[in-house]
Amino acid sequence: MAIARYTLAVDRRFKRDGEATADFIGCVAFGRQAEFAERYFRQGIRIVVTGRIQTGSYTNRDGVKVYTTDVVVEEQEFAESKAVSDSHVSHAASAPSMGAPAPAPAAASADGFMNIPDGIDEELPFS
């Protein structure tokens, strides 16, 4: 079974002086959701995640107990169009590769939505 771990940077709407401007939330996805994340997600794109909070703990090499909190992903999807996402990614710092290269971008139709090629149903991570 495929497992993907990634971190979401969530910007805070209200900022105080000297305070961090984003929260970093650990996410873990399994199976087809993990394969989708590996294939299509890159640093800087905006996504929407639905899931449940899972807490845990372990003892590290130094004997210190470490507590963890992750979102176990149940659903995930893109939050913006490919064109807008590409503009965000091009401005982001060099993104680490997460595996297979992303597919070639599909041409947008006049209404601004991406054209989905015929026969792609078996590659989509949802039904």
Side-chain angles (χ1 to χ4, degrees):
M1 173 182 283
I3 300 172
R5 288 191 168 276
Y6 55 89
T7 302
L8 291 180
V10 180
D11 287 332
R12 293 185 179 178
R13 289 183 187 223
F14 303 103
K15 301 169 188 166
R16 295 183 186 178
D17 292 336
E19 197 173 315
T21 61
D23 293 308
F24 296 91
I25 302 169
C27 297
V28 60
F30 298 95
R32 306 239 335 141
Q33 295 288 356
E35 293 169 5
F36 183 84
E38 178 195 14
R39 190 170 196 182
Y40 297 109
F41 290 175
R42 299 289 178 263
Q43 182 177 344
I45 66 168
R46 293 179 187 221
I47 63 171
V48 176
V49 173
T50 304
R52 60 184 171 79
I53 298 289
Q54 177 174 293
T55 60
S57 65
Y58 64 93
T59 303
N60 69 13
R61 293 180 184 169
D62 298 328
V64 176
K65 191 164 192 170
V66 178
Y67 295 92
T68 62
T69 303
D70 292 310
V71 173
V72 177
V73 175
E74 294 170 358
E75 296 177 20
Q76 58 193 3
E77 61 187 74
F78 297 105
E80 59 192 3
S81 71
K82 176 108 172 98
V84 173
S85 178
D86 285 346
S87 70
H88 288 298
V89 172
S90 67
H91 295 304
S94 60
S97 176
M98 293 174 56
S109 65
D111 61 4
F113 289 96
M114 183 174 77
N115 294 318
I116 306 296
D118 293 332
I120 196 168
D121 294 336
E122 59 276 354
E123 292 184 29
L124 295 175
F126 48 85
S127 53

